Amino acid sequence: MKVTFNINFHTVWGQKLCVVGSIPELGSWEPALAKEMSYKGEGNWQLELEVTTPVKDIEYRYFLSLSDKQIFEEWEKNHQVFFIGSADQYTLYDYWQVRPANLAFYSSAFTKSLFAHPCNTHERVVKSGKRLTIKISVPRVEKDQRVAITGNQECLGNWHPDKALILSCDTFPVWHIDLDANEITYPLEYKFLICDDHQQPLYWEEDENRILNLPPQQVGETAIISGLYFRDNLPLWRCAGSVIPVFSLRSEQSFGVGDLGDLHLLVDWVKKTHQRIIQVLPMNDTTMSHTCMDSYPYSAISIYALHPMYISLPHLGKLADQEKAAFFARKQAELNALEAVDYEQAVKYKIEYCREFFEQEGQAVMSSPEYKEFFAQSSSWLMPYAAYSYLRDKYCTSDFTQWKENSVYDKSSIRELCSETNKAYPEISFLYFLQYILHTQFKAVSDYARKNGIVLKGDLPIGVSRTSVEAWMEPKYFNMNGQAGAPPDDFSVNGQNWMFPTYNWDTMEKDNFSWWKKRFHKLEDYFDCFRIDHILGFFRIWEVPLDYVQGLCGHFNPALPLTPSEIEQYGLNFNEARLTTPHINREFLPELFGDLAEEVIGSFLAQSSSHHFVLKPFCDTQRKVDALFAGKTDEASLRIKNGLFAIANEVLFLRDPRDPDKFHPRISASQSFLYRELSAADQYAFDQLYWNFFYHRHNDFWKAQAFNRLTPLVGCTDMLVCGEDLGMIPESVPDVMNKLQIFSLEIERMPKTPQREFSDMFNLPYHSVCTTSTHDMSPLRSWWKEDRAKIQRYYNNVLGRAGDAPEECTADIATQIVASHLESRSMLTIIPLQDWFAMDDSVKRKDYEAERINVPSVPNHYWRYRMHIPLERLIQADSLNNKIIELIEKSGRK
């Protein structure tokens, strides 16, 4: 079979066009084995190929090379040609594929849910054996709409819309049509239009008619035109949705904690209220201690395994033992009656129920073809996860360094541990069973959401636990000597220390980021959209030394630390001992310790000069201080502990851990006591150095890092990609996110424009997610109570209301705030469930303080927020539901 590739692409001297593809004749995706094209003049390139391999289709891409090096390639989506009928010659006329401006519409959020089309085909008989196939990308077509073509010849209806031909959408968002080339006289003039289900034209594509002028085709030849894009000028498409952790859901059927059965009901409510998207928090297993400390959803022990608490027991099945069934029914009633999640009790009894059910039905389930298929596809992560969980419980710790002979992961010994003849297998097989049930239940919810046109949006945590399966299995990917966190921001003045290991990006790059790609692909099992938590970590991560508990003395990694000579170029005398060693002036001790100052001097401080003190060796790091005061909660102990923490932060420069001759200025150093001791000239010099270091020095450097990491990752998934870009945002972040079309996160009370107190809601970027608050922030009614002066300015200047702001965020005010978010330009406005509730006095919770999900400044926060009404009641809450429908329709969202 002969296949001829044609493309028009203008190059400069020395550059060559090549084709690489899925068959051996095109190098089997190896660029070094790609086929070089011949230049035919006027920008036309051609490759004639004899395909001897029996194949049904070929996927391929074009790329530009110079001196045998690939320098430029197409957008990540491949060209594809299907070999059908009796044709023995295929002539392909392609257009170079660039990243479309409306990339979001090509994501599975639209192709599998919002705009999902049935795989309709409109086959046409080609009697002459001369086939012309025209393919065009048209992603923005509603479910009740079709793409049609008409033109200046009889076979295309002679420009009569009612005679236009409907294209097939079985390869949506690419539509295609087969024509009999014997009925065509070139040049062919044509155009595409959109019709409704009854073939009534809705609108035509923009600009001039298209003209096709091809050489005459031979019998047995199929000519294929591909790479066309529909030219529309439609209004911005926007939708609304809700965000809520799954554990926070409540129904009459749940077991004290939200689960996948409740998510099924949430889909029903979202659809009823004309919303189109549900965003959840991470759902991975976080079990390390079997205590409420495990409730933190961003510290996963596995990037694949789901948390067993999300199993829906009603969907699992009933227990045959009536006495046991009655016991669990009583426990369910007790836990469901609680205002908040009792994490330990809910998990304990749900697992016990699953064990009973496993004893009853486990053998039958694990003998099924469906389970065997799941195990075959998942064993690469499932077996290590089950072994990890077994060993964690055997040794009563998730710290795998304490697991004796299993402290270092060994694949063969883990296979032995998981073998059916091993004494551990009953527990191992139960862990397999739990993950299979979670997978099947989650897939069922995902399919249900797609069927109902609802997008599920997941959440990808930036880090994993340092005692996770991945850190145990693949330590090469992690830097265990550092702790990931975030610099100071509105959430925490001392920064955040998440205690995750940081990533060894150099090692990850060597295998083309396969670790991250596998994470993305696992999310695709359930989600069509996802949020990259702390996307700034792909530019640089805030790395905190192990000796620190707080995040203030961290540094960015990677970074370009300063040499002493660079520091002194700013006019600052770099006295290394003075500026890099924590110490405190006696005059500041009363600010830290009050009347406890003398006691602290006698017990914890050593005099280093006539006016200064340093921490004594037994308490000279925050980790040591933390251990000294463990379990002490009295006011005096807490004040001393926090004061000693502050002294440990008293430096202006931090030594780089990888290059000890270079230094990082400490973040927020102008708030330190040491800074106050500098002369006015030294303060000015330090300020200039600080501003350049944090806001200018790294812009291009971090941009290159992010492009290098994010480009292949965004390109490997069909999901719609969003990023959480809050906090200390480098100047390069918007440019990278815009070029890759990663949606930003926009919050009114966290403006990204300097000198603004609140975001300009009428000029938000279209490719963004707009929301009233996040899980790390106070919901609207709590926020209204936090800063009276700020709320007064918001009330008068943003809401445009006169007079004094009321003490409470009334339903009327909450409605106005939500409405302004819905009316923004953001494609997605996703409102926390608590803020939807705030709009209706008959629905909202009486205790607004109980609506807070997380407090980032409290590192051991107990994540236990739960809806105060069951979803069954919410679905019937017509006063709220009708208000939501009205606001969404009024805003023009669909």
Side-chain angles (χ1 to χ4, degrees):
M1 179 172 58
K2 181 180 179 182
V3 181
T4 304
F5 299 82
N6 296 277
I7 191 168
N8 185 275
F9 191 88
H10 291 277
T11 59
V12 299
W13 182 258
Q15 293 178 341
K16 299 180 294 185
L17 271 188
C18 300
V19 188
V20 65
S22 58
I23 58 174
E25 290 87 345
L26 289 175
S28 298
W29 294 119
E30 282 292 333
L33 301 177
K35 286 293 190 294
E36 182 180 328
M37 304 187 77
S38 300
Y39 185 62
K40 300 299 182 181
E42 298 183 350
N44 295 310
W45 294 78
Q46 188 178 84
L47 169 67
E48 293 185 352
L49 193 70
E50 284 293 334
V51 179
T52 57
T53 310
V55 290
K56 294 182 179 179
D57 66 285
I58 298 176
E59 290 192 50
Y60 61 97
R61 298 178 69 188
Y62 296 94
F63 67 86
L64 189 65
S65 70
L66 179 64
S67 302
D68 294 326
K69 291 184 178 179
Q70 186 171 334
I71 61 172
F72 184 60
E73 62 179 346
E74 295 183 283
W75 175 44
E76 294 85 357
K77 301 302 179 185
N78 301 324
H79 298 269
Q80 189 171 23
V81 56
F82 294 93
F83 302 122
I84 56 176
S86 58
D88 54 17
Q89 181 177 342
Y90 286 82
T91 308
L92 315 179
Y93 299 92
D94 293 322
Y95 290 81
W96 185 273
Q97 299 294 283
V98 297
R99 186 182 297 272
N102 57 349
L103 183 62
F105 294 120
Y106 289 85
S107 70
S108 59
F110 287 88
T111 61
K112 291 185 178 180
S113 179
L114 297 170
F115 293 166
H117 280 266
C119 293
N120 290 339
T121 59
H122 298 274
E123 296 184 8
R124 291 175 175 81
V125 177
V126 179
K127 297 179 180 179
S128 69
K130 303 175 183 179
R131 185 188 307 269
L132 171 65
T133 300
I134 300 177
K135 300 161 69 174
I136 182 170
S137 292
V138 198
R140 187 175 169 179
V141 184
E142 302 280 356
K143 292 183 177 182
D144 58 353
Q145 298 174 352
R146 305 290 178 262
V147 179
I149 184 174
T150 187
N152 66 345
Q153 298 182 25
E154 184 67 28
C155 64
L156 291 182
N158 280 327
W159 297 116
H160 293 292
D162 57 331
K163 295 182 179 179
L165 304 182
I166 303 298
L167 277 67
S168 299
C169 60
D170 54 313
T171 55
F172 182 75
V174 176
W175 301 70
H176 63 91
I177 189 168
D178 293 331
L179 302 171
D180 191 330
N182 214 39
E183 300 175 356
I184 296 173
T185 302
Y186 295 110
L188 170 66
E189 195 170 346
Y190 66 102
K191 208 167 190 178
F192 297 98
L193 65 155
I194 305 299
C195 301
D196 62 18
D197 272 340
H198 304 289
Q199 205 167 331
Q200 294 301 306
L202 299 173
Y203 58 91
W204 294 73
E205 64 173 334
E206 297 283 308
D207 300 330
E208 69 281 351
N209 297 335
R210 300 176 185 267
I211 297 177
L212 182 61
N213 199 359
L214 298 180
Q217 291 165 242
Q218 307 299 315
V219 175
E221 179 184 1
T222 293
I224 302 176
I225 312 298
S226 71
L228 302 177
Y229 289 93
F230 190 86
R231 307 178 302 233
D232 64 42
N233 187 26
L234 299 172
L236 298 181
W237 188 95
R238 301 172 302 142
C239 72
S242 295
V243 53
I244 187 72
V246 172
F247 65 76
S248 297
L249 298 175
R250 177 194 292 265
S251 76
E252 295 168 0
Q253 297 297 312
S254 53
F255 206 101
V257 63
D259 57 38
L260 290 163
D262 299 337
L263 188 57
H264 195 285
L265 283 174
L266 186 64
V267 170
D268 293 337
W269 176 72
V270 164
K271 182 178 182 182
K272 180 175 182 176
T273 52
H274 297 193
Q275 300 178 65
R276 305 299 294 274
I277 189 163
I278 295 172
Q279 178 178 331
V280 299
L281 268 56
M283 297 172 64
N284 296 87
D285 194 354
T286 55
T287 308
M288 286 184 272
S289 64
H290 296 288
T291 69
C292 64
M293 298 292 290
D294 299 339
S295 66
Y296 178 38
Y298 287 89
S299 184
I301 62 166
S302 169
I303 60 175
Y304 303 107
L306 297 168
H307 200 303
M309 71 178 176
Y310 293 118
I311 290 177
S312 168
L313 299 186
H315 285 78
L316 177 63
K318 294 182 179 180
L319 296 180
D321 187 316
Q322 295 301 310
E323 185 176 337
K324 290 178 180 178
F327 168 79
F328 285 110
R330 289 193 298 271
K331 285 296 177 185
Q332 179 190 27
E334 291 173 14
L335 291 170
N336 255 3
L338 299 177
E339 285 296 303
V341 174
D342 185 332
Y343 177 87
E344 293 178 21
Q345 292 293 302
V347 172
K348 174 186 175 182
Y349 287 109
K350 290 193 80 167
I351 294 292
E352 285 187 13
Y353 185 103
C354 290
R355 284 190 185 278
E356 295 291 345
F357 191 83
F358 180 66
E359 289 294 321
Q360 176 181 306
E361 306 289 347
Q363 186 174 357
V365 170
M366 298 179 75
S367 298
S368 67
E370 293 80 9
Y371 169 80
K372 292 177 180 178
E373 181 182 1
F374 166 77
F375 185 83
Q377 294 175 348
S378 310
S379 59
S380 61
W381 64 263
L382 183 59
M383 191 178 293
Y385 161 77
Y388 168 97
S389 300
Y390 174 82
L391 293 168
R392 172 201 62 210
D393 294 346
K394 175 183 177 181
Y395 291 105
C396 299
T397 178
S398 64
D399 181 1
F400 48 79
T401 64
Q402 307 300 310
W403 291 352
K404 299 181 180 179
E405 67 272 13
N406 292 118
S407 60
V408 176
Y409 179 81
D410 178 73
K411 189 173 183 178
S412 59
S413 62
I414 295 306
R415 284 190 174 276
E416 172 60 27
L417 177 67
C418 295
S419 66
E420 294 187 22
T421 57
N422 195 291
K423 64 179 182 180
Y425 188 73
E427 181 64 19
I428 296 289
S429 60
F430 174 61
L431 293 162
Y432 291 165
F433 169 80
L434 291 178
Q435 289 303 311
Y436 170 68
I437 296 300
L438 284 160
H439 174 73
T440 54
Q441 289 192 359
F442 208 164
K443 280 291 290 180
V445 175
S446 179
D447 292 343
Y448 182 72
R450 286 171 178 157
K451 180 182 177 182
N452 284 278
I454 306 300
V455 175
L456 292 187
K457 180 184 178 187
D459 198 343
L460 184 84
I462 188 63
V464 297
S465 168
R466 64 178 50 249
T467 59
S468 64
V469 179
E470 282 70 38
W472 178 47
M473 278 184 70
E474 302 175 295
K476 64 180 181 179
Y477 289 134
F478 304 97
N479 169 30
M480 303 300 286
N481 295 320
Q483 306 173 101
D489 56 21
D490 290 351
F491 297 142
S492 178
V493 295
N494 288 317
Q496 298 179 53
N497 180 1
W498 304 323
M499 294 183 287
F500 306 140
T502 55
Y503 294 116
N504 186 338
W505 285 106
D506 291 339
T507 299
M508 288 179 160
E509 186 176 0
K510 288 177 182 176
D511 61 10
N512 199 23
F513 306 105
S514 64
W515 187 85
W516 283 98
K517 289 179 179 179
K518 286 185 285 188
R519 289 189 77 181
F520 282 27
H521 292 153
K522 182 59 179 173
L523 283 176
E524 288 176 340
D525 282 349
Y526 317 115
F527 300 106
D528 290 315
C529 177
F530 75 107
R531 183 193 84 137
I532 300 177
D533 168 51
H534 195 68
I535 197 172
L536 304 184
F538 285 86
F539 293 75
R540 78 296 183 273
I541 198 70
W542 188 247
E543 186 172 78
V544 182
L546 289 177
D547 284 340
Y548 285 87
V549 174
Q550 297 174 329
L552 206 56
C553 280
H555 62 275
F556 288 121
N557 177 25
L560 303 170
L562 299 161
T563 63
S565 62
E566 285 181 298
I567 294 171
E568 294 190 338
Q569 285 175 9
Y570 286 89
L572 181 67
N573 180 29
F574 185 67
N575 183 327
E576 184 176 321
R578 177 182 174 226
L579 300 179
T580 65
T581 304
H583 60 279
I584 189 75
N585 192 309
R586 176 187 285 270
E587 71 172 279
F588 300 128
L589 292 176
E591 289 187 44
L592 289 174
F593 303 105
D595 56 8
L596 299 171
E598 292 303 318
E599 178 187 338
V600 170
I601 290 173
S603 301
F604 300 99
L605 303 181
Q607 195 152 7
S608 59
S609 72
S610 57
H611 296 289
H612 293 89
F613 294 91
V614 295
L615 297 167
K616 288 181 178 179
F618 76 93
C619 62
D620 62 355
T621 70
Q622 289 187 345
R623 285 288 168 205
K624 292 179 181 178
V625 172
D626 197 44
L628 280 174
F629 289 87
K632 297 180 180 180
T633 58
D634 60 283
E635 186 176 341
S637 294
L638 291 176
R639 181 156 194 182
I640 293 173
K641 174 184 174 181
N642 291 332
L644 297 177
F645 272 10
I647 294 174
N649 289 329
E650 278 296 307
V651 295
L652 289 188
F653 289 93
L654 302 154
R655 193 182 302 276
D656 186 79
R658 295 163 184 83
D659 190 343
D661 295 326
K662 294 182 179 179
F663 301 87
H664 303 255
R666 203 211 81 182
I667 196 84
S668 301
S670 64
Q671 307 300 313
S672 70
F673 296 111
L674 185 53
Y675 178 87
R676 286 158 61 176
E677 290 192 78
L678 297 179
S679 66
D682 281 348
Q683 285 185 355
Y684 177 80
F686 184 83
D687 290 346
Q688 298 304 303
L689 173 153
Y690 184 97
W691 181 259
N692 180 269
F693 185 88
F694 283 110
Y695 297 100
H696 295 287
R697 182 179 177 90
H698 297 90
N699 284 341
D700 292 338
F701 177 64
W702 285 337
K703 179 186 286 189
Q705 299 290 326
F707 270 126
N708 186 50
R709 297 166 183 175
L710 286 170
T711 301
L713 296 180
V714 172
C716 81
T717 181
D718 287 330
M719 292 183 290
L720 178 60
V721 184
C722 306
E724 182 265 294
D725 55 337
L726 304 178
M728 190 176 179
I729 307 172
E731 188 178 290
S732 55
V733 171
D735 187 40
V736 172
M737 293 181 68
N738 288 338
K739 287 185 177 177
L740 296 179
Q741 293 191 44
I742 300 173
F743 281 32
S744 63
L745 179 61
E746 307 295 335
I747 301 176
E748 188 172 39
R749 66 181 101 158
M750 291 189 69
K752 295 175 181 175
T753 305
Q755 288 81 51
R756 286 195 69 99
E757 188 172 22
F758 303 102
S759 298
D760 179 359
M761 300 301 291
F762 295 101
N763 288 293
L764 296 181
Y766 176 54
H767 290 144
S768 69
V769 179
C770 170
T771 187
T772 49
S773 59
T774 74
H775 61 271
D776 281 331
M777 302 168 69
S778 49
L780 283 178
R781 291 196 295 153
S782 297
W783 173 65
W784 199 264
K785 295 281 191 177
E786 290 175 357
D787 186 333
R788 183 65 187 169
K790 186 172 186 176
I791 288 300
Q792 184 64 54
R793 293 190 297 274
Y794 180 79
Y795 184 78
N796 297 141
N797 302 330
V798 178
L799 297 185
R801 297 187 176 213
D804 293 336
E807 292 293 325
E808 306 287 338
C809 180
T810 64
D812 180 52
I813 291 173
T815 300
Q816 183 179 352
I817 295 172
V818 170
S820 72
H821 286 68
L822 291 170
E823 289 163 4
S824 72
R825 291 184 74 251
S826 300
M827 179 186 280
L828 308 178
T829 291
I830 304 179
I831 304 296
L833 212 59
Q834 306 96 305
D835 292 346
W836 284 126
F837 292 165
M839 301 193 309
D840 194 304
D841 290 333
S842 67
V843 172
K844 68 186 182 186
R845 197 182 204 126
K846 290 183 179 179
D847 180 11
Y848 65 86
E849 293 181 343
E851 293 181 330
R852 184 74 185 258
I853 294 173
N854 178 45
V855 182
S857 59
V858 180
N860 295 323
H861 180 79
Y862 185 2
W863 296 61
R864 58 190 314 220
Y865 165 70
R866 196 167 182 225
M867 290 173 58
H868 62 293
I869 61 173
L871 283 156
E872 292 90 346
R873 179 180 157 194
L874 179 62
I875 291 172
Q876 299 303 319
D878 290 340
S879 61
L880 173 63
N881 296 339
N882 291 337
K883 182 178 288 188
I884 293 172
I885 293 169
E886 181 182 351
L887 289 178
I888 290 174
E889 291 182 348
K890 186 177 179 181
S891 69
R893 293 183 180 269
K894 295 186 177 182

